[in-house]
PDB file of all heavy atoms in Angstrom:
ATOM      1  N   MET A  99      -3.907  18.506  34.214  1.00 88.00           N
ATOM      2  CA  MET A  99      -3.146  19.759  34.250  1.00 88.00           C
ATOM      3  C   MET A  99      -1.754  19.473  34.822  1.00 88.00           C
ATOM      4  O   MET A  99      -1.620  18.797  35.838  1.00 88.00           O
ATOM      5  CB  MET A  99      -3.876  20.789  35.095  1.00 88.00           C
ATOM      6  CG  MET A  99      -3.307  22.175  34.980  1.00 88.00           C
ATOM      7  SD  MET A  99      -3.514  22.866  33.348  1.00 88.00           S
ATOM      8  CE  MET A  99      -5.078  23.670  33.542  1.00 88.00           C
ATOM      9  N   ALA A 100      -0.717  20.001  34.145  1.00 91.00           N
ATOM     10  CA  ALA A 100       0.665  19.780  34.588  1.00 91.00           C
ATOM     11  C   ALA A 100       1.489  21.030  34.299  1.00 91.00           C
ATOM     12  O   ALA A 100       1.091  21.904  33.538  1.00 91.00           O
ATOM     13  CB  ALA A 100       1.257  18.570  33.873  1.00 91.00           C
ATOM     14  N   ARG A 101       2.678  21.088  34.919  1.00 91.00           N
ATOM     15  CA  ARG A 101       3.624  22.187  34.701  1.00 91.00           C
ATOM     16  C   ARG A 101       4.938  21.566  34.243  1.00 91.00           C
ATOM     17  O   ARG A 101       5.384  20.555  34.772  1.00 91.00           O
ATOM     18  CB  ARG A 101       3.840  22.956  36.003  1.00 91.00           C
ATOM     19  CG  ARG A 101       4.858  24.099  35.844  1.00 91.00           C
ATOM     20  CD  ARG A 101       5.143  24.844  37.149  1.00 91.00           C
ATOM     21  NE  ARG A 101       3.933  25.370  37.744  1.00 91.00           N
ATOM     22  CZ  ARG A 101       3.503  25.047  38.975  1.00 91.00           C
ATOM     23  NH1 ARG A 101       4.182  24.232  39.733  1.00 91.00           N
ATOM     24  NH2 ARG A 101       2.385  25.567  39.446  1.00 91.00           N
ATOM     25  N   TRP A 102       5.573  22.210  33.265  1.00 91.00           N
ATOM     26  CA  TRP A 102       6.871  21.750  32.798  1.00 91.00           C
ATOM     27  C   TRP A 102       7.695  22.938  32.345  1.00 91.00           C
ATOM     28  O   TRP A 102       7.166  24.000  32.047  1.00 91.00           O
ATOM     29  CB  TRP A 102       6.740  20.722  31.669  1.00 91.00           C
ATOM     30  CG  TRP A 102       6.156  21.262  30.401  1.00 91.00           C
ATOM     31  CD1 TRP A 102       6.828  21.753  29.335  1.00 91.00           C
ATOM     32  CD2 TRP A 102       4.766  21.378  30.067  1.00 91.00           C
ATOM     33  NE1 TRP A 102       5.972  22.166  28.360  1.00 91.00           N
ATOM     34  CE2 TRP A 102       4.682  21.938  28.784  1.00 91.00           C
ATOM     35  CE3 TRP A 102       3.583  21.052  30.734  1.00 91.00           C
ATOM     36  CZ2 TRP A 102       3.483  22.187  28.157  1.00 91.00           C
ATOM     37  CZ3 TRP A 102       2.382  21.303  30.110  1.00 91.00           C
ATOM     38  CH2 TRP A 102       2.339  21.867  28.828  1.00 91.00           C
ATOM     39  N   THR A 103       8.983  22.731  32.309  1.00 89.00           N
ATOM     40  CA  THR A 103       9.905  23.761  31.846  1.00 89.00           C
ATOM     41  C   THR A 103      10.436  23.334  30.486  1.00 89.00           C
ATOM     42  O   THR A 103      11.011  22.258  30.344  1.00 89.00           O
ATOM     43  CB  THR A 103      11.066  23.947  32.839  1.00 89.00           C
ATOM     44  OG1 THR A 103      10.523  24.269  34.111  1.00 89.00           O
ATOM     45  CG2 THR A 103      11.999  25.045  32.389  1.00 89.00           C
ATOM     46  N   ALA A 104      10.243  24.198  29.485  1.00 87.00           N
ATOM     47  CA  ALA A 104      10.691  23.905  28.128  1.00 87.00           C
ATOM     48  C   ALA A 104      12.209  24.002  28.063  1.00 87.00           C
ATOM     49  O   ALA A 104      12.843  24.603  28.928  1.00 87.00           O
ATOM     50  CB  ALA A 104      10.045  24.874  27.148  1.00 87.00           C
ATOM     51  N   PRO A 105      12.836  23.436  27.033  1.00 84.00           N
ATOM     52  CA  PRO A 105      14.291  23.509  26.896  1.00 84.00           C
ATOM     53  C   PRO A 105      14.816  24.951  26.829  1.00 84.00           C
ATOM     54  O   PRO A 105      15.958  25.203  27.199  1.00 84.00           O
ATOM     55  CB  PRO A 105      14.570  22.763  25.592  1.00 84.00           C
ATOM     56  CG  PRO A 105      13.426  21.825  25.435  1.00 84.00           C
ATOM     57  CD  PRO A 105      12.246  22.534  26.027  1.00 84.00           C
ATOM     58  N   ASP A 106      13.992  25.920  26.390  1.00 84.00           N
ATOM     59  CA  ASP A 106      14.450  27.307  26.336  1.00 84.00           C
ATOM     60  C   ASP A 106      14.325  28.018  27.687  1.00 84.00           C
ATOM     61  O   ASP A 106      14.652  29.192  27.808  1.00 84.00           O
ATOM     62  CB  ASP A 106      13.709  28.087  25.255  1.00 84.00           C
ATOM     63  CG  ASP A 106      12.200  28.165  25.504  1.00 84.00           C
ATOM     64  OD1 ASP A 106      11.726  27.673  26.554  1.00 84.00           O
ATOM     65  OD2 ASP A 106      11.496  28.710  24.637  1.00 84.00           O
ATOM     66  N   GLY A 107      13.830  27.324  28.722  1.00 85.00           N
ATOM     67  CA  GLY A 107      13.752  27.876  30.078  1.00 85.00           C
ATOM     68  C   GLY A 107      12.393  28.431  30.456  1.00 85.00           C
ATOM     69  O   GLY A 107      12.172  28.757  31.622  1.00 85.00           O
ATOM     70  N   ARG A 108      11.459  28.526  29.519  1.00 88.00           N
ATOM     71  CA  ARG A 108      10.124  29.034  29.848  1.00 88.00           C
ATOM     72  C   ARG A 108       9.300  27.948  30.529  1.00 88.00           C
ATOM     73  O   ARG A 108       9.400  26.773  30.183  1.00 88.00           O
ATOM     74  CB  ARG A 108       9.400  29.506  28.590  1.00 88.00           C
ATOM     75  CG  ARG A 108      10.011  30.748  27.982  1.00 88.00           C
ATOM     76  CD  ARG A 108       9.237  31.219  26.782  1.00 88.00           C
ATOM     77  NE  ARG A 108       9.284  30.157  25.763  1.00 88.00           N
ATOM     78  CZ  ARG A 108       8.579  30.168  24.649  1.00 88.00           C
ATOM     79  NH1 ARG A 108       7.758  31.147  24.395  1.00 88.00           N
ATOM     80  NH2 ARG A 108       8.691  29.193  23.779  1.00 88.00           N
ATOM     81  N   THR A 109       8.472  28.373  31.487  1.00 89.00           N
ATOM     82  CA  THR A 109       7.592  27.442  32.189  1.00 89.00           C
ATOM     83  C   THR A 109       6.230  27.460  31.516  1.00 89.00           C
ATOM     84  O   THR A 109       5.688  28.523  31.197  1.00 89.00           O
ATOM     85  CB  THR A 109       7.452  27.836  33.668  1.00 89.00           C
ATOM     86  OG1 THR A 109       8.745  27.828  34.253  1.00 89.00           O
ATOM     87  CG2 THR A 109       6.564  26.869  34.408  1.00 89.00           C
ATOM     88  N   HIS A 110       5.675  26.262  31.301  1.00 90.00           N
ATOM     89  CA  HIS A 110       4.367  26.123  30.658  1.00 90.00           C
ATOM     90  C   HIS A 110       3.441  25.360  31.587  1.00 90.00           C
ATOM     91  O   HIS A 110       3.876  24.504  32.371  1.00 90.00           O
ATOM     92  CB  HIS A 110       4.484  25.354  29.338  1.00 90.00           C
ATOM     93  CG  HIS A 110       5.271  26.056  28.292  1.00 90.00           C
ATOM     94  ND1 HIS A 110       4.711  26.959  27.434  1.00 90.00           N
ATOM     95  CD2 HIS A 110       6.587  25.998  27.961  1.00 90.00           C
ATOM     96  CE1 HIS A 110       5.630  27.417  26.610  1.00 90.00           C
ATOM     97  NE2 HIS A 110       6.788  26.846  26.920  1.00 90.00           N
ATOM     98  N   VAL A 111       2.155  25.654  31.467  1.00 90.00           N
ATOM     99  CA  VAL A 111       1.118  24.931  32.202  1.00 90.00           C
ATOM    100  C   VAL A 111       0.055  24.542  31.185  1.00 90.00           C
ATOM    101  O   VAL A 111      -0.354  25.362  30.353  1.00 90.00           O
ATOM    102  CB  VAL A 111       0.501  25.798  33.316  1.00 90.00           C
ATOM    103  CG1 VAL A 111      -0.640  25.061  33.999  1.00 90.00           C
ATOM    104  CG2 VAL A 111       1.556  26.200  34.328  1.00 90.00           C
ATOM    105  N   GLY A 112      -0.378  23.279  31.238  1.00 88.00           N
ATOM    106  CA  GLY A 112      -1.403  22.822  30.304  1.00 88.00           C
ATOM    107  C   GLY A 112      -1.786  21.388  30.578  1.00 88.00           C
ATOM    108  O   GLY A 112      -1.249  20.738  31.487  1.00 88.00           O
ATOM    109  N   TYR A 113      -2.709  20.915  29.790  1.00 89.00           N
ATOM    110  CA  TYR A 113      -3.170  19.537  29.926  1.00 89.00           C
ATOM    111  C   TYR A 113      -2.228  18.606  29.166  1.00 89.00           C
ATOM    112  O   TYR A 113      -1.845  18.883  28.031  1.00 89.00           O
ATOM    113  CB  TYR A 113      -4.589  19.385  29.380  1.00 89.00           C
ATOM    114  CG  TYR A 113      -5.627  19.947  30.317  1.00 89.00           C
ATOM    115  CD1 TYR A 113      -6.128  21.226  30.143  1.00 89.00           C
ATOM    116  CD2 TYR A 113      -6.081  19.199  31.388  1.00 89.00           C
ATOM    117  CE1 TYR A 113      -7.069  21.749  31.006  1.00 89.00           C
ATOM    118  CE2 TYR A 113      -7.023  19.707  32.262  1.00 89.00           C
ATOM    119  CZ  TYR A 113      -7.510  20.985  32.070  1.00 89.00           C
ATOM    120  OH  TYR A 113      -8.432  21.500  32.930  1.00 89.00           O
ATOM    121  N   VAL A 114      -1.877  17.496  29.817  1.00 88.00           N
ATOM    122  CA  VAL A 114      -0.987  16.500  29.214  1.00 88.00           C
ATOM    123  C   VAL A 114      -1.565  15.117  29.475  1.00 88.00           C
ATOM    124  O   VAL A 114      -2.279  14.919  30.458  1.00 88.00           O
ATOM    125  CB  VAL A 114       0.454  16.592  29.791  1.00 88.00           C
ATOM    126  CG1 VAL A 114       1.077  17.943  29.484  1.00 88.00           C
ATOM    127  CG2 VAL A 114       0.477  16.318  31.268  1.00 88.00           C
TER     128      VAL A 114
END
Side-chain angles (χ1 to χ4, degrees):
M99 191 66 90
R101 178 183 304 121
W102 66 93
T103 303
D106 62 4
R108 291 183 298 172
T109 301
H110 295 273
V111 176
Y113 284 97
V114 298

